[in-house]
Amino acid sequence: MEIIIKQDYEQICEEAIKIIHQAWKKKNNLVLGLPTGKTPLGVYRRLIELNKKEEIDFSQVITFSLDEYLGLEENHPQSFAYYMEKNLFQHININKENIYRLSGNPENIDEHCKAYEEKINSFGGIDLQILGIGRNGHIGFNEPSSSLSSRTRVKTLTLETIEANSRLFQDEKEVPRFCLTLGIGTIMEAKMIVLLALGKNKGEAIFKCVEGPITASVPASILQLHPQAKIIIDQEAASLLSRKDYYQWVYKNKERVDDFIAKKK
Ligand code: PGA
């Protein structure tokens, strides 16, 4: 795991953008896994700016949404389909056929989830999966106790997730109780994973994710097993980490290590 501690949200977004941009330069038909939530909004804003400046071209990029509420139609203002359209897709030159989403109202849930996974595999898997983290350590909507090898499926939201997401609904009762989400096993198959978090209220989840034991009680802790996971956080989200100085030291020396390795080759 690479732990990158930044001063503020601006810097978190810049770092994430750098990674996405580099990945796209290497592979223009990049397969991106994208989350919703408050955290990635700044990243999406910057992607739109880069696209407007023609520094990144989305015409060949393929995207897969991470999760969706069950029971909401695509045009419901709180659906993840709507969020992605409003905050990213409608502003960039992405080819609509390259946008893949989990449906909020599939005819057959199991078949829909299976077909979604097959679609991901048909593109050779997700190259870069962006993630947020819940205060309870969830990734996607894989709530605590989710199987660490789970596939895309239905999940029941925890009461704390319902409460956290209720800010976007007029009434907590309107927050759907069920969702579809990429499984943890599915997420782990992405070639690179970038998790973003900021603020004190994510501090405990980040501590458990990075320095705690790997456990289904903290789904994000599975990222410790991923060979290319980057955790990009601000000082507050990093506040409980015991090896914070070491992570910062590693990051500071990163270019020197890269130079050293390059010279050896
Ligand atoms: P947030 O959500 O970005 O709105 O904090 C993250 C999550 O619950 O995964």
Side-chain angles (χ1 to χ4, degrees), residues 7 11 18 66 68 90 104 107 109 113 119 140 144 150 159 187 190 205 217 240:
Q7 287 310 318
Q11 288 188 7
K18 211 165 74 189
L66 181 61
E68 182 57 282
Q90 67 174 225
E107 262 178 45
I109 292 179
C113 292
K119 195 45 95 179
S150 52
L159 291 178
I187 291 172
S217 296
L240 299 178

Side-chain angles (χ1 to χ4, degrees), residues 160-205:
E160 59 195 317
T161 299
I162 291 171
E163 190 208 308
N165 293 3
S166 65
R167 66 177 194 271
L168 302 167
F169 291 79
Q170 284 185 343
D171 189 324
E172 195 173 301
K173 290 199 194 77
E174 283 178 29
V175 186
R177 269 42 184 167
F178 309 106
C179 63
L180 296 184
T181 180
L182 280 197
I184 299 179
T186 324
I187 291 172
M188 285 294 282
E189 284 168 9
K191 292 172 195 105
M192 185 189 280
I193 297 179
V194 170
L195 183 145
L196 312 173
L198 71 149
K200 224 179 176 65
N201 68 349
K202 298 288 172 78
E204 197 182 334

Side-chain angles (χ1 to χ4, degrees), residues 20 42 64 71 74 81 83 101 105 113 137 156 163 175 185 191 196 198 201 256:
I20 298 171
F64 284 90
E74 263 187 29
Y83 167 106
R101 305 180 168 108
N105 264 320
C113 292
T156 305
E163 190 208 308
V175 186
K191 292 172 195 105
L196 312 173
L198 71 149
N201 68 349
R256 291 173 61 193

Side-chain angles (χ1 to χ4, degrees), residues 36-40 132-134 138 140 167 202:
T36 56
K38 215 158 63 177
T39 314
I133 184 171
H138 74 203
R167 66 177 194 271
K202 298 288 172 78

